[in-house]
Amino acid sequence: MKPVHCVATLLTVALLSGCGASRINAGQLDYDNGVAYKHGSTDPFTGEVHFGEDDQSPFTTVLVELTRNEWIPQSPNLSPRISLSYSCLSSFKNGVPDGFTQCDQGHGKAEFSFTLRDGRLDGEGVVYNTKGDKVFVTHWKNGAYDGTQKVYSLDGNNVVHEWSVEDGHKRGKEYWAYNNGDDLAEGKWSDDGKFSGTMFFPDERTVYTLKDGVKDGDFKKFDYQDPNLKKVAVEGSYSNGRRDGTWTYHGQVPRDEFLEASRSAGFPQLLAIPQEATTTVTWKQGALSGPVKIVDKDQHVLLAFTMVDGEIAAPIVRTDPESGKRFTLSDDATIRAMNAANVRGSSMSDPSCLGPMLRQQTPGGVTYIFNYYCNVDYSRTHLSDLQSATINHLLDPVKFPDAPSDAAISKAEADAQAVSTPSHGNASQEPSPITGLNFCVDDWLRSSYKGGDVIATQDQIDQWTKSCDQGKHPSN
């Protein structure tokens, strides 16, 4: 019977060692067209291979796929952790990674584990934290997501994101949670790929409500400075894909958000209030229409007015936070000026309308020539300057105590309407360099224009600059 015991013992050893499979170090492998061979062998290698931290790992691409997929953008639990310094133990079959692989960074605790079939992810993949807890459990089929996917909090205690994939598409329930396990967002994917419910976008830190893939319902955006996603920066709602109802901004308002929606050039500028203020605006099917109110941290109203179809309507009420004094703008011409198109950028597009040009630098000053200057652009720019002065007065009545008069604004509107062609200028002549002065100083220079060239001394330029800083304009 001894031979029988010997055979049984050999069989047990063979089973424990993988039925004859061997384990070697990565340095013992040679590769030919991506197929691994043990040194001196002509047969593709089958068995286990240990890749040390100093070896070039063939799994870097796999690990990137495992932890950085387009469906889990910027997840704090799956921040980039990929390097070439991982120690991996992998199964090979016929010279290709095939079977279970586990990787760590030399401390013995697994950081990644996954299953490959013919070198591609197939089966379960796991990412671990430094304590060995699972922070991502994913399932693959033939190199693509397939089945249930779960992202956990950094401590491994709570699922913070879960979804399922079938045939390369999300299907069924998708769920998001805070790190403490509290619900954050949840919805469902239909068979035709449309989502209904609340959806969290971690890269934007926003939660949208969608119906059949269309924004419809409550919206919120979290403060970028709050890692716990508890402080809301913006909240509002959509109706059939368009903003609708009251939207509240806690802190500074992104002015660019309103440039296309508002027909008033002054509206985005009026949103330049203190960072700690709260702003509420009203939307009606994607258009700014309704009350606008800005309050400080003590709920004192800093600014209040109404938008009608994208334009500011009278009256505009402003309370100066320092003095507590209340200022009101309601003149028709003033409101029209605030709603006027801001032409500063467009008036500079035509080389024949670049304004005053530097002709010659002299010890006594600078000589400017007014060729290439268009009255129509001057008139429009003048109106834009009055608009800016009106807004400056409204936002800081202490620094800018005097707003342009109704008569001055009305005259500027009439000039801009009446003048439609350049008064002089030679489009065929190459223009000289522009002055580099700001528009307000240019207007003081223009106000002294009597024809021909103008010599402006440095003292004059300094005085005009000082006047502009004080909110003074030649039209005042």
Short mmCIF file of all heavy atoms in Angstrom, two decimals, residues 62-108:
data_model
loop_
_atom_site.label_atom_id
_atom_site.label_comp_id
_atom_site.label_asym_id
_atom_site.label_seq_id
_atom_site.Cartn_x
_atom_site.Cartn_y
_atom_site.Cartn_z
N VAL A 62 -3.92 48.10 -17.74
CA VAL A 62 -5.07 47.45 -17.14
C VAL A 62 -5.53 48.20 -15.90
O VAL A 62 -6.72 48.42 -15.67
CB VAL A 62 -4.75 45.98 -16.81
CG1 VAL A 62 -5.91 45.35 -16.04
CG2 VAL A 62 -4.47 45.20 -18.07
N LEU A 63 -4.56 48.61 -15.07
CA LEU A 63 -4.91 49.32 -13.83
C LEU A 63 -5.54 50.66 -14.13
O LEU A 63 -6.45 51.11 -13.42
CB LEU A 63 -3.67 49.49 -12.96
CG LEU A 63 -2.99 48.20 -12.48
CD1 LEU A 63 -1.78 48.52 -11.61
CD2 LEU A 63 -3.96 47.33 -11.71
N VAL A 64 -5.07 51.33 -15.18
CA VAL A 64 -5.68 52.60 -15.57
C VAL A 64 -7.13 52.37 -15.98
O VAL A 64 -8.04 53.10 -15.59
CB VAL A 64 -4.88 53.27 -16.71
CG1 VAL A 64 -5.65 54.46 -17.27
CG2 VAL A 64 -3.52 53.71 -16.21
N GLU A 65 -7.37 51.34 -16.78
CA GLU A 65 -8.74 51.01 -17.18
C GLU A 65 -9.60 50.68 -15.97
O GLU A 65 -10.78 51.03 -15.90
CB GLU A 65 -8.74 49.83 -18.15
CG GLU A 65 -8.13 50.14 -19.52
CD GLU A 65 -8.15 48.93 -20.42
OE1 GLU A 65 -8.71 47.90 -20.01
OE2 GLU A 65 -7.62 49.01 -21.53
N LEU A 66 -9.01 50.00 -15.02
CA LEU A 66 -9.75 49.54 -13.85
C LEU A 66 -10.21 50.70 -12.98
O LEU A 66 -11.28 50.65 -12.38
CB LEU A 66 -8.87 48.59 -13.04
CG LEU A 66 -9.48 47.94 -11.79
CD1 LEU A 66 -10.58 46.98 -12.21
CD2 LEU A 66 -8.40 47.21 -11.00
N THR A 67 -9.43 51.76 -12.89
CA THR A 67 -9.70 52.82 -11.91
C THR A 67 -10.08 54.16 -12.51
O THR A 67 -10.50 55.05 -11.78
CB THR A 67 -8.47 53.04 -11.00
OG1 THR A 67 -7.37 53.47 -11.82
CG2 THR A 67 -8.10 51.78 -10.28
N ARG A 68 -9.94 54.32 -13.81
CA ARG A 68 -10.22 55.63 -14.41
C ARG A 68 -11.07 55.45 -15.65
O ARG A 68 -10.58 55.45 -16.76
CB ARG A 68 -8.91 56.35 -14.74
CG ARG A 68 -8.04 56.65 -13.53
CD ARG A 68 -6.73 57.29 -13.93
NE ARG A 68 -6.94 58.61 -14.48
CZ ARG A 68 -5.96 59.35 -15.00
NH1 ARG A 68 -4.73 58.89 -15.05
NH2 ARG A 68 -6.21 60.55 -15.48
N ASN A 69 -12.35 55.31 -15.45
CA ASN A 69 -13.30 55.12 -16.54
C ASN A 69 -14.14 56.37 -16.69
O ASN A 69 -14.33 57.13 -15.74
CB ASN A 69 -14.19 53.90 -16.25
CG ASN A 69 -15.11 53.58 -17.42
OD1 ASN A 69 -16.17 54.15 -17.54
ND2 ASN A 69 -14.67 52.66 -18.26
N GLU A 70 -14.69 56.59 -17.90
CA GLU A 70 -15.46 57.82 -18.13
C GLU A 70 -16.71 57.89 -17.27
O GLU A 70 -17.30 58.95 -17.09
CB GLU A 70 -15.85 57.93 -19.61
CG GLU A 70 -16.85 56.90 -20.10
CD GLU A 70 -16.19 55.62 -20.60
OE1 GLU A 70 -14.98 55.42 -20.32
OE2 GLU A 70 -16.86 54.82 -21.25
N TRP A 71 -17.16 56.79 -16.71
CA TRP A 71 -18.38 56.81 -15.90
C TRP A 71 -18.10 57.15 -14.44
O TRP A 71 -19.02 57.28 -13.65
CB TRP A 71 -19.08 55.46 -15.98
CG TRP A 71 -19.78 55.27 -17.29
CD1 TRP A 71 -20.22 56.26 -18.13
CD2 TRP A 71 -20.12 54.04 -17.91
NE1 TRP A 71 -20.81 55.71 -19.24
CE2 TRP A 71 -20.76 54.35 -19.13
CE3 TRP A 71 -19.95 52.71 -17.58
CZ2 TRP A 71 -21.24 53.37 -20.00
CZ3 TRP A 71 -20.43 51.75 -18.45
CH2 TRP A 71 -21.06 52.07 -19.64
N ILE A 72 -16.86 57.23 -14.06
CA ILE A 72 -16.54 57.60 -12.67
C ILE A 72 -15.55 58.75 -12.67
O ILE A 72 -14.45 58.63 -12.15
CB ILE A 72 -16.00 56.40 -11.87
CG1 ILE A 72 -14.97 55.61 -12.69
CG2 ILE A 72 -17.11 55.50 -11.42
CD1 ILE A 72 -14.31 54.51 -11.91
N PRO A 73 -15.90 59.91 -13.29
CA PRO A 73 -14.94 61.02 -13.43
C PRO A 73 -14.57 61.64 -12.09
O PRO A 73 -15.43 61.92 -11.27
CB PRO A 73 -15.68 62.02 -14.32
CG PRO A 73 -17.13 61.74 -14.04
CD PRO A 73 -17.21 60.26 -13.81
N GLN A 74 -13.28 61.84 -11.88
CA GLN A 74 -12.77 62.57 -10.73
C GLN A 74 -13.31 62.06 -9.40
O GLN A 74 -13.56 62.81 -8.48
CB GLN A 74 -13.09 64.06 -10.87
CG GLN A 74 -12.43 64.70 -12.08
CD GLN A 74 -12.66 66.18 -12.13
OE1 GLN A 74 -13.06 66.81 -11.17
NE2 GLN A 74 -12.40 66.78 -13.28
N SER A 75 -13.54 60.77 -9.30
CA SER A 75 -14.00 60.23 -8.02
C SER A 75 -12.88 60.35 -6.99
O SER A 75 -11.76 59.92 -7.24
CB SER A 75 -14.39 58.75 -8.16
OG SER A 75 -14.59 58.17 -6.89
N PRO A 76 -13.15 60.96 -5.83
CA PRO A 76 -12.10 61.10 -4.82
C PRO A 76 -11.60 59.75 -4.31
O PRO A 76 -10.48 59.64 -3.83
CB PRO A 76 -12.79 61.90 -3.70
CG PRO A 76 -14.24 61.64 -3.89
CD PRO A 76 -14.44 61.50 -5.37
N ASN A 77 -12.43 58.73 -4.44
CA ASN A 77 -12.02 57.40 -3.98
C ASN A 77 -11.12 56.71 -4.98
O ASN A 77 -10.44 55.74 -4.65
CB ASN A 77 -13.25 56.52 -3.74
CG ASN A 77 -14.11 57.05 -2.62
OD1 ASN A 77 -13.89 58.15 -2.14
ND2 ASN A 77 -15.10 56.28 -2.21
N LEU A 78 -11.13 57.18 -6.22
CA LEU A 78 -10.36 56.52 -7.26
C LEU A 78 -9.41 57.50 -7.93
O LEU A 78 -9.25 57.50 -9.13
CB LEU A 78 -11.30 55.91 -8.30
CG LEU A 78 -12.29 54.89 -7.74
CD1 LEU A 78 -13.29 54.48 -8.81
CD2 LEU A 78 -11.59 53.68 -7.19
N SER A 79 -8.82 58.36 -7.13
CA SER A 79 -7.87 59.32 -7.66
C SER A 79 -6.69 58.57 -8.25
O SER A 79 -6.42 57.44 -7.87
CB SER A 79 -7.39 60.26 -6.55
OG SER A 79 -6.85 59.52 -5.48
N PRO A 80 -5.99 59.17 -9.22
CA PRO A 80 -4.91 58.46 -9.91
C PRO A 80 -3.90 57.85 -8.94
O PRO A 80 -3.28 58.55 -8.15
CB PRO A 80 -4.28 59.55 -10.78
CG PRO A 80 -5.39 60.51 -11.02
CD PRO A 80 -6.20 60.52 -9.75
N ARG A 81 -3.75 56.54 -9.01
CA ARG A 81 -2.84 55.84 -8.12
C ARG A 81 -1.87 54.97 -8.92
O ARG A 81 -1.20 54.12 -8.36
CB ARG A 81 -3.64 54.95 -7.16
CG ARG A 81 -4.65 55.68 -6.33
CD ARG A 81 -5.66 54.75 -5.70
NE ARG A 81 -5.03 53.72 -4.89
CZ ARG A 81 -5.71 52.76 -4.26
NH1 ARG A 81 -7.02 52.71 -4.37
NH2 ARG A 81 -5.08 51.86 -3.54
N ILE A 82 -1.85 55.14 -10.23
CA ILE A 82 -1.14 54.22 -11.09
C ILE A 82 0.33 54.63 -11.21
O ILE A 82 0.66 55.78 -11.43
CB ILE A 82 -1.78 54.18 -12.48
CG1 ILE A 82 -3.27 53.92 -12.36
CG2 ILE A 82 -1.13 53.12 -13.34
CD1 ILE A 82 -3.62 52.69 -11.55
N SER A 83 1.20 53.68 -11.05
CA SER A 83 2.63 53.88 -11.27
C SER A 83 3.20 52.55 -11.77
O SER A 83 2.48 51.57 -11.92
CB SER A 83 3.32 54.32 -9.98
OG SER A 83 3.36 53.24 -9.06
N LEU A 84 4.48 52.54 -12.01
CA LEU A 84 5.14 51.31 -12.45
C LEU A 84 5.78 50.56 -11.29
O LEU A 84 6.53 49.61 -11.50
CB LEU A 84 6.20 51.64 -13.51
CG LEU A 84 5.68 52.32 -14.79
CD1 LEU A 84 6.84 52.63 -15.72
CD2 LEU A 84 4.67 51.44 -15.49
N SER A 85 5.51 50.97 -10.07
CA SER A 85 6.22 50.41 -8.92
C SER A 85 5.42 49.34 -8.19
O SER A 85 5.71 49.02 -7.05
CB SER A 85 6.60 51.52 -7.94
OG SER A 85 5.45 52.15 -7.46
N TYR A 86 4.39 48.77 -8.84
CA TYR A 86 3.59 47.76 -8.17
C TYR A 86 4.23 46.38 -8.27
O TYR A 86 4.83 46.02 -9.29
CB TYR A 86 2.18 47.71 -8.76
CG TYR A 86 1.33 48.87 -8.33
CD1 TYR A 86 1.22 50.00 -9.11
CD2 TYR A 86 0.68 48.83 -7.11
CE1 TYR A 86 0.46 51.07 -8.69
CE2 TYR A 86 -0.08 49.89 -6.68
CZ TYR A 86 -0.19 51.00 -7.47
OH TYR A 86 -0.94 52.06 -7.05
N SER A 87 4.08 45.64 -7.21
CA SER A 87 4.49 44.23 -7.19
C SER A 87 3.24 43.40 -7.47
O SER A 87 2.25 43.50 -6.75
CB SER A 87 5.08 43.88 -5.82
OG SER A 87 5.30 42.50 -5.72
N CYS A 88 3.25 42.63 -8.53
CA CYS A 88 2.07 41.88 -8.95
C CYS A 88 2.40 40.40 -9.07
O CYS A 88 3.49 40.01 -9.51
CB CYS A 88 1.55 42.38 -10.30
SG CYS A 88 1.00 44.10 -10.32
N LEU A 89 1.44 39.56 -8.72
CA LEU A 89 1.52 38.11 -8.92
C LEU A 89 0.40 37.75 -9.87
O LEU A 89 -0.78 37.94 -9.55
CB LEU A 89 1.38 37.35 -7.60
CG LEU A 89 1.54 35.82 -7.69
CD1 LEU A 89 2.93 35.46 -8.18
CD2 LEU A 89 1.26 35.19 -6.33
N SER A 90 0.76 37.22 -11.05
CA SER A 90 -0.23 37.02 -12.10
C SER A 90 -0.13 35.63 -12.70
O SER A 90 0.96 35.03 -12.75
CB SER A 90 -0.02 38.06 -13.21
OG SER A 90 -0.92 37.87 -14.26
N SER A 91 -1.26 35.13 -13.14
CA SER A 91 -1.31 33.86 -13.83
C SER A 91 -1.16 34.07 -15.33
O SER A 91 -1.78 34.98 -15.91
CB SER A 91 -2.65 33.15 -13.56
OG SER A 91 -2.78 32.83 -12.20
N PHE A 92 -0.33 33.23 -15.97
CA PHE A 92 -0.15 33.26 -17.42
C PHE A 92 -0.63 31.94 -18.01
O PHE A 92 -0.52 30.87 -17.37
CB PHE A 92 1.33 33.45 -17.77
CG PHE A 92 1.76 34.88 -17.82
CD1 PHE A 92 1.73 35.67 -16.68
CD2 PHE A 92 2.21 35.44 -18.99
CE1 PHE A 92 2.13 36.99 -16.71
CE2 PHE A 92 2.62 36.76 -19.05
CZ PHE A 92 2.58 37.55 -17.91
N LYS A 93 -1.17 32.03 -19.21
CA LYS A 93 -1.57 30.82 -19.92
C LYS A 93 -1.17 30.97 -21.38
O LYS A 93 -1.56 31.93 -22.04
CB LYS A 93 -3.08 30.61 -19.81
CG LYS A 93 -3.58 29.33 -20.47
CD LYS A 93 -5.08 29.19 -20.27
CE LYS A 93 -5.60 27.91 -20.93
NZ LYS A 93 -7.06 27.76 -20.73
N ASN A 94 -0.34 30.04 -21.83
CA ASN A 94 0.16 30.07 -23.20
C ASN A 94 0.82 31.41 -23.54
O ASN A 94 0.61 31.98 -24.61
CB ASN A 94 -0.96 29.75 -24.19
CG ASN A 94 -1.50 28.35 -24.03
OD1 ASN A 94 -0.75 27.41 -23.68
ND2 ASN A 94 -2.79 28.18 -24.27
N GLY A 95 1.58 31.93 -22.55
CA GLY A 95 2.36 33.13 -22.78
C GLY A 95 1.63 34.45 -22.63
O GLY A 95 2.21 35.52 -22.86
N VAL A 96 0.34 34.42 -22.21
CA VAL A 96 -0.47 35.63 -22.09
C VAL A 96 -1.09 35.68 -20.70
O VAL A 96 -1.52 34.64 -20.19
CB VAL A 96 -1.58 35.65 -23.16
CG1 VAL A 96 -2.46 36.89 -23.00
CG2 VAL A 96 -0.99 35.61 -24.56
N PRO A 97 -1.14 36.88 -20.04
CA PRO A 97 -1.81 36.96 -18.74
C PRO A 97 -3.24 36.45 -18.84
O PRO A 97 -4.03 36.92 -19.67
CB PRO A 97 -1.78 38.46 -18.41
CG PRO A 97 -0.61 38.98 -19.18
CD PRO A 97 -0.58 38.19 -20.44
N ASP A 98 -3.56 35.50 -18.02
CA ASP A 98 -4.87 34.87 -18.09
C ASP A 98 -5.17 34.26 -16.72
O ASP A 98 -4.45 33.37 -16.28
CB ASP A 98 -4.90 33.80 -19.18
CG ASP A 98 -6.30 33.29 -19.47
OD1 ASP A 98 -6.86 32.56 -18.62
OD2 ASP A 98 -6.84 33.62 -20.54
N GLY A 99 -6.22 34.79 -16.06
CA GLY A 99 -6.55 34.32 -14.73
C GLY A 99 -6.44 35.44 -13.71
O GLY A 99 -6.52 36.62 -14.04
N PHE A 100 -6.23 35.06 -12.47
CA PHE A 100 -6.24 36.02 -11.36
C PHE A 100 -4.91 36.75 -11.24
O PHE A 100 -3.84 36.15 -11.38
CB PHE A 100 -6.56 35.28 -10.06
CG PHE A 100 -6.71 36.20 -8.87
CD1 PHE A 100 -7.84 36.99 -8.72
CD2 PHE A 100 -5.72 36.26 -7.90
CE1 PHE A 100 -8.01 37.81 -7.63
CE2 PHE A 100 -5.87 37.10 -6.80
CZ PHE A 100 -7.01 37.87 -6.66
N THR A 101 -4.98 38.07 -10.98
CA THR A 101 -3.79 38.89 -10.74
C THR A 101 -4.04 39.75 -9.51
O THR A 101 -5.14 40.30 -9.34
CB THR A 101 -3.48 39.80 -11.95
OG1 THR A 101 -3.15 39.01 -13.08
CG2 THR A 101 -2.31 40.74 -11.64
N GLN A 102 -3.02 39.86 -8.67
CA GLN A 102 -3.11 40.72 -7.49
C GLN A 102 -1.86 41.57 -7.41
O GLN A 102 -0.74 41.06 -7.59
CB GLN A 102 -3.27 39.88 -6.23
CG GLN A 102 -3.38 40.71 -4.95
CD GLN A 102 -3.77 39.86 -3.76
OE1 GLN A 102 -4.83 39.25 -3.73
NE2 GLN A 102 -2.90 39.81 -2.76
N CYS A 103 -2.04 42.88 -7.13
CA CYS A 103 -0.92 43.81 -7.09
C CYS A 103 -0.90 44.57 -5.77
O CYS A 103 -1.95 44.89 -5.20
CB CYS A 103 -1.00 44.82 -8.24
SG CYS A 103 -0.99 44.09 -9.89
N ASP A 104 0.31 44.87 -5.28
CA ASP A 104 0.48 45.73 -4.11
C ASP A 104 1.71 46.58 -4.33
O ASP A 104 2.34 46.52 -5.37
CB ASP A 104 0.57 44.90 -2.83
CG ASP A 104 1.75 43.93 -2.84
OD1 ASP A 104 2.87 44.35 -3.21
OD2 ASP A 104 1.57 42.75 -2.48
N GLN A 105 2.03 47.39 -3.34
CA GLN A 105 3.22 48.23 -3.44
C GLN A 105 4.30 47.76 -2.47
O GLN A 105 5.00 48.56 -1.87
CB GLN A 105 2.86 49.70 -3.19
CG GLN A 105 2.20 50.35 -4.39
CD GLN A 105 2.12 51.86 -4.27
OE1 GLN A 105 1.71 52.38 -3.25
NE2 GLN A 105 2.52 52.55 -5.33
N GLY A 106 4.42 46.46 -2.35
CA GLY A 106 5.50 45.88 -1.57
C GLY A 106 5.21 45.70 -0.10
O GLY A 106 6.06 45.20 0.63
N HIS A 107 4.00 46.11 0.38
CA HIS A 107 3.72 45.98 1.81
C HIS A 107 2.88 44.74 2.10
O HIS A 107 2.48 44.51 3.23
CB HIS A 107 3.00 47.21 2.33
CG HIS A 107 1.85 47.65 1.47
ND1 HIS A 107 0.83 46.81 1.10
CD2 HIS A 107 1.58 48.85 0.91
CE1 HIS A 107 -0.04 47.46 0.34
NE2 HIS A 107 0.40 48.72 0.21
N GLY A 108 2.59 43.93 1.07
CA GLY A 108 1.87 42.69 1.29
C GLY A 108 0.37 42.81 1.24
O GLY A 108 -0.33 41.80 1.13
#
